[in-house]
């Protein structure tokens, strides 16, 4: 399991969502990148130095500090879409290889390189910016049906990371709620929502939604 690339965004105009800019255009960078916890949502801060988000209501903060996507899943989309997809094109900060990102458990912890520890927090939900960026009509629906969303992570131990760093799973919680399960519960299979309550590391907003569904039943 390895970090194939570390990707940092450069601001671009965002005509798809009504914001002045978007940081979805992530590009691989050479050398080390510092990773720190960004603080609460609402500031635009994220976990990687030099990166930020502009839709501060829906992105960034503790629970969405870092976004990871598997190179294997990008390769699958390359074949399906018939176009080259470089590392970072989905807006991911970390492009991994050999790691089951969507099968990762909520609360699972990864050590990257010597110092950094990240914790899997939730699934990425696609938005209008993502669809506009890829220039694919119906992309949100297509991405949702595929259920390979990639994972958001929070920063547990800060430090520097770089392409080629090994990734080691250092903790797996005692439940079966994966990134894939969370994504399906939040999108096409809401009957799964009560199942999410055993995942203590899930963001509070997601747990609140699961609780409302459980009470409603």
């Amino acid at each position: 399991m390895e970090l194939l690339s570390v990707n940092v965004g450069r601001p671009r105009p965002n005509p798809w969502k009504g914001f002045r800019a978007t940081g979805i255009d992530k590009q691989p960078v050479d050398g080390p990148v510092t990773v720190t916890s960004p603080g609460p949502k609402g500031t635009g801060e994220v976990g990687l130095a030099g990166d930020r988000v502009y839709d501060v209501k829906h992105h960034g903060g503790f629970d969405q500090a870092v976004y990871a996507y598997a190179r294997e899943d990008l390769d699958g989309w390359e074949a399906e879409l018939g176009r080259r997809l470089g590392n970072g094109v989905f807006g991911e900060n970390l492009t991994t290889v050999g790691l089951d990102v969507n099968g990762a458990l909520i609360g699972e912890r990864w050590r990257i390189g010597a110092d950094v520890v990240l914790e899997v927090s939730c699934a990425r939900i696609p938005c209008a910016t993502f669809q506009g960026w890829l220039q694919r009509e119906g992309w949100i629906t297509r991405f949702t049906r595929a259920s390979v969303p990639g994972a958001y992570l929070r920063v547990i131990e800060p430090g520097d990371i770089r392409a080629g760093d090994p990734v080691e799973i250092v903790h797996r919680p005692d439940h079966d709620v994966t990134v894939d399960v969370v994504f399906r519960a939040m999108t096409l299979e809401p009957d799964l929502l009560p199942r999410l309550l055993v995942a203590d590391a899930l963001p509070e907003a997601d747990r609140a939604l699961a609780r409302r569904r459980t009470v409603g039943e």
Side-chain angles (χ1 to χ4, degrees), residues 144-189:
T144 300
R145 287 175 176 168
S147 193
V148 282
Y152 278 118
L153 303 107
R154 54 178 68 93
V155 179
I156 302 301
E157 296 180 15
D160 291 346
I161 58 174
R162 69 181 73 205
D165 276 348
V167 180
E168 178 189 5
I169 299 172
V170 295
H171 171 71
R172 285 175 65 85
D174 187 21
H175 61 69
D176 63 354
V177 180
T178 63
V179 171
D180 169 67
V181 169
V182 171
F183 183 75
R184 290 187 287 119
M186 293 291 177
T187 56
L188 300 179
E189 300 179 53

Side-chain angles (χ1 to χ4, degrees), residues 63 106-107 121-122 154 175 177 182 185-186 192-215:
D63 296 323
I106 302 301
S121 59
C122 56
R154 54 178 68 93
H175 61 69
V177 180
V182 171
M186 293 291 177
L192 292 173
L193 283 168
R195 182 175 162 186
L196 307 188
L197 290 175
V198 298
D200 293 337
L202 197 67
E204 179 53 34
D206 295 347
R207 289 179 57 81
L209 179 61
R211 283 195 295 269
R212 288 197 296 272
R213 181 58 187 254
T214 302
V215 170

Side-chain angles (χ1 to χ4, degrees), residues 52-208:
R52 66 165 290 120
V53 296
Y54 296 86
D55 179 356
V56 300
K57 180 179 179 181
H58 298 105
H59 299 295
F62 291 121
D63 296 323
Q64 297 178 359
V66 180
Y67 175 48
Y69 205 80
R71 182 64 243 183
E72 293 88 345
D73 292 326
L74 285 174
D75 291 343
W77 284 116
E78 274 194 344
E80 183 171 330
L81 298 176
R83 58 177 281 195
R84 181 182 178 277
L85 297 173
N87 294 347
V89 71
F90 276 15
E92 79 272 16
N93 300 113
L94 311 180
T95 308
T96 66
V97 65
L99 181 64
D100 185 3
V101 174
N102 298 297
L105 297 170
I106 302 301
E108 181 174 301
R109 292 187 176 186
W110 305 345
R111 181 176 297 280
I112 302 178
D115 301 316
V116 172
V117 176
L118 304 179
E119 181 178 82
V120 177
S121 59
C122 56
R124 185 255 192 92
I125 305 297
C127 66
T129 299
F130 190 25
Q131 177 164 293
W133 170 241
L134 286 187
Q135 299 180 317
R136 290 279 175 169
E137 192 69 29
W139 173 249
I140 292 175
T141 299
R142 193 170 185 175
F143 185 81
T144 300
R145 287 175 176 168
S147 193
V148 282
Y152 278 118
L153 303 107
R154 54 178 68 93
V155 179
I156 302 301
E157 296 180 15
D160 291 346
I161 58 174
R162 69 181 73 205
D165 276 348
V167 180
E168 178 189 5
I169 299 172
V170 295
H171 171 71
R172 285 175 65 85
D174 187 21
H175 61 69
D176 63 354
V177 180
T178 63
V179 171
D180 169 67
V181 169
V182 171
F183 183 75
R184 290 187 287 119
M186 293 291 177
T187 56
L188 300 179
E189 300 179 53
D191 287 348
L192 292 173
L193 283 168
R195 182 175 162 186
L196 307 188
L197 290 175
V198 298
D200 293 337
L202 197 67
E204 179 53 34
D206 295 347
R207 289 179 57 81

